[in-house]
Amino acid sequence: MNTRMLTNFDKRVLVMNRVLIALLVLITVVPMGYILIASFMDPRVLVNQGISFNPRDWTVEGYQRVFSDDSILRGFINSLLYSTIFAALTVVISVMTAYPLSKKDLIGRRWVNYFLIFTMFFGGGLVPTYLLVKNLGMLNSMWAIVLPGAVNVWNIILARTYFQSLPDELVEAAVIDGANEFQVFLKVILPLAKPIMFVLFLYAFVGQWNSYFDAMIYIKDPDKAPLQLVLRNILIQNEVNANMIGAQAAINELKRIAEIVKYATIVISSLPLIVLYPFFQKYFDKGIMAGSLKG
């Protein structure tokens, strides 16, 4: 951009934008840096003095206890399994629902859209949902977490808008070559839909990974609890597995361990999202824009 062609007002706007972006970055980076440093610190020093860069105040005890505790590792694996299956199922349902709805000649298309949008604003609530899950025999199982939220209307709308933005000439050319609707969908539409599919997968994966409420309601077996539920017990209830401490540990030692473990657990629970995003970034920017605006 040639700054010589910018007016004084444009320059002031650019300066304000840069300041705002810097503040947003600061708001994001500072808490993350604090948690990362706190996960390596002695909790007594952290509580009494705050952040310290003295190596003598640092310890890896929190990570040692996290990796030695079966419940946290099991919760990590459960969360990874639940989130992956949930995200994959959400993408399949969203794409297969959105593609027919992107067709203007679909009979009843308007009423189906109205019905889907209605469900975004009005739901049955927790009690009917719980009774439905119970009657279907899904209590205390993975499907109680994965299935109820797999149909996401917002994701369907994003995918539908993306399909509508694709040139009609591509479908017409495939039909002229003799392809039926199913072949058009598999060989023409799906290869072009990778950006929006990756976006929906990332949305669903992050949402499920950070969720603990459904597991708290439907899962009673501790061995099936996701990581966020285990983390909730550590953060809110100060519950630490007995394997982390000796039988004669005092209450103060229990609190100290809970304090040191919670920061290490937060870091570990964030790792999959941090690792996952760079691989999805090139699809994310393209998919979210194309799925939001038609044209």
Side-chain angles (χ1 to χ4, degrees):
M1 180 181 294
N2 190 352
T3 56
R4 295 181 179 178
M5 300 178 60
L6 297 177
T7 64
N8 291 332
F9 176 77
D10 293 335
K11 293 178 180 179
R12 286 194 294 268
V13 171
L14 285 176
V15 171
M16 292 178 60
N17 287 340
R18 290 169 182 170
V19 172
L20 180 60
I21 292 174
L23 289 175
L24 292 176
V25 171
L26 193 63
I27 292 172
T28 304
V29 171
V30 169
M32 293 177 60
Y34 178 85
I35 292 174
L36 180 61
I37 296 174
S39 67
F40 289 99
M41 287 193 60
D42 187 323
R44 297 189 186 94
V45 177
L46 182 64
V47 172
N48 297 327
Q49 303 179 15
I51 294 294
S52 171
F53 294 97
N54 188 341
R56 291 180 298 180
D57 298 330
W58 288 37
T59 177
V60 294
E61 182 185 359
Y63 290 95
Q64 291 175 345
R65 291 186 180 276
V66 167
F67 286 113
S68 65
D69 182 56
D70 293 337
S71 65
I72 294 180
L73 293 178
R74 188 165 51 246
F76 187 92
I77 295 174
N78 290 339
S79 288
L80 192 62
L81 178 64
Y82 298 161
S83 300
T84 302
I85 295 177
F86 176 80
L89 191 61
T90 298
V91 170
V92 171
I93 293 175
S94 299
V95 170
M96 295 188 67
T97 306
Y99 179 66
L101 293 177
S102 67
K103 297 291 186 178
K104 296 180 180 180
D105 56 350
L106 178 66
I107 299 176
R109 171 174 173 266
R110 177 181 298 180
W111 294 107
V112 174
N113 286 328
Y114 286 158
F115 174 78
L116 291 176
I117 293 175
F118 180 85
T119 62
M120 293 180 64
F121 300 98
F122 302 97
L126 177 61
V127 174
T129 305
Y130 180 87
L131 293 176
L132 177 62
V133 171
K134 179 181 179 181
N135 292 334
L136 291 176
M138 295 191 302
L139 282 181
N140 202 33
S141 71
M142 174 185 68
W143 304 113
I145 300 177
V146 171
L147 290 182
V151 180
N152 189 297
V153 178
W154 176 247
N155 290 342
I156 293 174
I157 293 175
L158 281 179
R160 184 195 64 188
T161 308
Y162 182 88
F163 290 139
Q164 290 174 340
S165 68
L166 297 178
D168 295 335
E169 290 78 7
L170 294 174
V171 177
E172 294 173 358
V175 173
I176 292 175
D177 290 339
N180 56 37
E181 199 68 52
F182 188 72
Q183 291 173 328
V184 170
F185 178 70
L186 287 181
K187 298 182 179 181
V188 179
I189 300 300
L190 282 186
L192 297 175
K194 287 183 180 179
I196 193 64
M197 291 172 65
F198 278 109
V199 168
L200 298 182
F201 185 92
L202 185 61
Y203 275 171
F205 187 93
V206 172
Q208 185 59 47
W209 181 268
N210 292 327
S211 176
Y212 71 89
F213 184 76
D214 288 347
M216 186 173 63
I217 298 298
Y218 302 124
I219 301 297
K220 303 303 179 184
D221 187 354
D223 292 340
K224 298 180 181 179
L227 178 62
Q228 300 304 329
L229 189 57
V230 178
L231 178 61
R232 174 185 178 273
N233 294 334
I234 295 175
L235 294 178
I236 299 179
Q237 301 176 0
N238 284 331
E239 292 183 2
V240 179
N241 193 289
N243 296 329
M244 288 185 178
I245 59 177
Q248 304 300 321
I251 296 178
N252 290 337
E253 179 68 7
L254 178 63
K255 292 181 178 179
R256 186 188 74 85
I257 293 175
E259 188 72 18
I260 195 173
V261 165
K262 73 177 182 181
Y263 289 111
T265 309
I266 292 174
V267 174
I268 293 174
S269 66
S270 302
L271 283 179
L273 306 183
I274 296 175
V275 173
L276 191 64
Y277 182 76
F279 296 99
F280 283 52
Q281 184 177 6
K282 64 178 181 179
Y283 298 105
F284 186 83
D285 296 336
K286 181 179 178 181
I288 192 61
M289 293 304 297
S292 301
L293 299 173
K294 183 179 184 300

